[in-house]
């Protein structure tokens, strides 16, 4: 099988929480199946990346084996990372996951490895680039339209900016599933807003300095029949791998 025919390997970050199954009640790494189903359906191979001890060297060794990266949804980012005290509604911090994803993302950007941020992943990208977050969106918009609670996804309309990478993958206006009580406030360095809701809430950003660096605040994995974002990542990951194979240092 030639390099161009190989399925790209996509790493997906995971939760690390206490979980119960059968007689076991232990800390465990896990991720909803819809995420890796979407990667597989789009033509990639999904590899799960649980939070663990990390350094630039560890991140680089891991990224050597990946063609693309997905930063998935999950608990809120520790507010001290963007210079704020915790809001009463902000989750208990997960410093191990924050450090893991921040390092993977920084090294992926440096190496121009294609990446997709989803919900928390979009917020992590913004914080990693020096931006800040609205810690509790109902304080800003006046209600819980973006997070109904009890695992129920609301749907909102977003307008996509023309001439963005996102517009090349999606329609100009789309209906998307959302489940977030936080959102991007001050934009991080090098990021461009590429989608908003009618009330102005940022729902997508891109990093223009890399070939494919897209992050959305909504949950595309919940739109089971619409894998366009994942297909875009897979296509970029395939090109990245082909370039790596052609590199004189490969």
């Amino acid at each position: 099988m030639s390099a161009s025919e190989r399925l790209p390997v996509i790493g997906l970050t995971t939760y690390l929480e206490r979980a119960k199954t059968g007689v076991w009640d232990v800390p465990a790494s896990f991720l909803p199946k819809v995420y890796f189903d979407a990667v597989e359906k789009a033509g990639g191979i999904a590899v799960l990346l649980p939070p663990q001890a990390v350094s630039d060297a560890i991140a680089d060794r891991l990224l050597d084996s990946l063609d693309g990266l997905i930063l998935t949804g999950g608990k809120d980012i520790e507010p001290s990372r963007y210079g704020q005290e915790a809001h009463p509604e902000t989750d208990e911090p997960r410093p191990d996951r924050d450090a893991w994803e921040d390092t993977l993302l920084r090294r992926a950007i440096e190496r121009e490895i294609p990446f997709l941020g989803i919900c928390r992943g979009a917020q992590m990208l913004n914080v990693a680039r020096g931006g800040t977050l609205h810690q509790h969106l109902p304080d800003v918009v006046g209600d819980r339209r973006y997070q109904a609670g009890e695992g129920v996804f609301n749907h909102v309309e977003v307008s996509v900016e023309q001439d963005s990478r996102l517009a090349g993958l999606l329609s100009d206006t789309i209906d998307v599933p959302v489940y977030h009580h936080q959102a991007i406030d001050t934009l991080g360095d090098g990021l461009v807003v590429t989608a908003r809701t009618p009330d102005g809430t940022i729902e997508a950003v891109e990093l223009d300095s890399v070939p494919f660096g897209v992050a959305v605040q909504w949950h595309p994995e919940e739109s089971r029949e619409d894998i366009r974002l994942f297909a875009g990542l897979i296509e970029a990951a395939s090109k990245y791998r082909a370039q790596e194979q052609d590199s004189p240092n490969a």
Side-chain angles (χ1 to χ4, degrees):
M1 180 181 291
S2 69
S4 62
E5 294 172 322
R6 293 174 184 163
L7 298 180
V9 178
I10 308 298
L12 298 94
T13 59
T14 77
Y15 293 77
L16 181 58
E17 304 287 342
R18 197 156 195 92
K20 186 172 184 179
T21 176
V23 299
W24 305 109
D25 184 1
V26 295
S29 173
F30 62 92
L31 188 70
K33 185 172 180 287
V34 288
Y35 282 101
F36 41 95
D37 279 350
V39 170
E40 182 181 5
K41 190 173 181 180
I45 300 171
V47 176
L48 302 189
L49 309 176
Q52 55 197 280
V54 69
S55 65
D56 284 0
I58 289 172
D60 280 331
R61 179 64 185 91
L62 174 59
L63 292 170
D64 284 344
S65 65
L66 299 180
D67 306 315
L69 177 67
I70 297 178
L71 300 177
T72 63
K75 297 289 188 178
D76 299 333
I77 297 164
E78 189 169 9
S80 63
R81 282 188 168 268
Y82 49 97
Q84 294 182 10
E85 297 292 328
H87 186 284
E89 295 291 333
T90 296
D91 295 330
E92 287 294 314
R94 300 298 191 276
D96 54 348
R97 184 172 180 185
D98 290 348
W100 175 242
E101 293 187 349
D102 177 78
T103 306
L104 287 179
L105 181 57
R106 285 192 297 100
R107 296 308 302 150
I109 290 171
E110 179 68 24
R111 297 169 57 149
E112 296 191 350
I113 295 174
F115 66 87
L116 171 64
I118 295 176
C119 198
R120 169 192 159 94
Q123 297 167 7
M124 177 57 72
L125 172 61
N126 194 58
V127 171
R129 302 296 294 182
T132 66
L133 305 177
H134 294 297
Q135 286 193 54
H136 193 52
L137 203 45
D139 292 346
V140 180
V141 300
D143 57 41
R144 293 183 175 268
R145 73 191 73 170
Y146 293 100
Q147 189 183 69
E150 302 300 324
V152 176
F153 286 86
N154 278 347
H155 283 255
V156 299
E157 182 182 277
V158 300
S159 297
V160 179
E161 292 293 329
Q162 295 182 358
D163 301 323
S164 63
R165 293 190 188 96
L166 199 59
L169 299 171
L170 305 175
S171 307
D172 291 342
T173 302
I174 53 175
D175 183 75
V176 297
V178 292
Y179 199 86
H180 61 94
H181 84 108
Q182 298 193 339
I184 291 172
D185 184 9
T186 304
L187 199 62
D189 292 341
L191 297 180
V192 178
V193 176
T194 54
R196 294 181 185 267
T197 59
D199 63 33
T201 298
I202 296 172
E203 285 289 331
V205 293
E206 295 177 10
L207 183 61
D208 277 347
S209 62
V210 297
F212 190 96
V214 175
V216 298
Q217 186 64 75
W218 69 86
H219 282 271
E221 78 282 1
E222 292 295 329
S223 300
R224 311 297 173 89
E225 300 307 312
D226 185 354
I227 60 167
R228 289 177 291 177
L229 275 176
F230 295 95
L233 174 67
I234 297 301
E235 180 181 5
S238 296
K239 291 178 180 177
Y240 171 80
R241 180 50 54 194
Q243 290 169 357
E244 287 294 294
Q245 293 291 336
D246 291 341
S247 169
N249 298 320

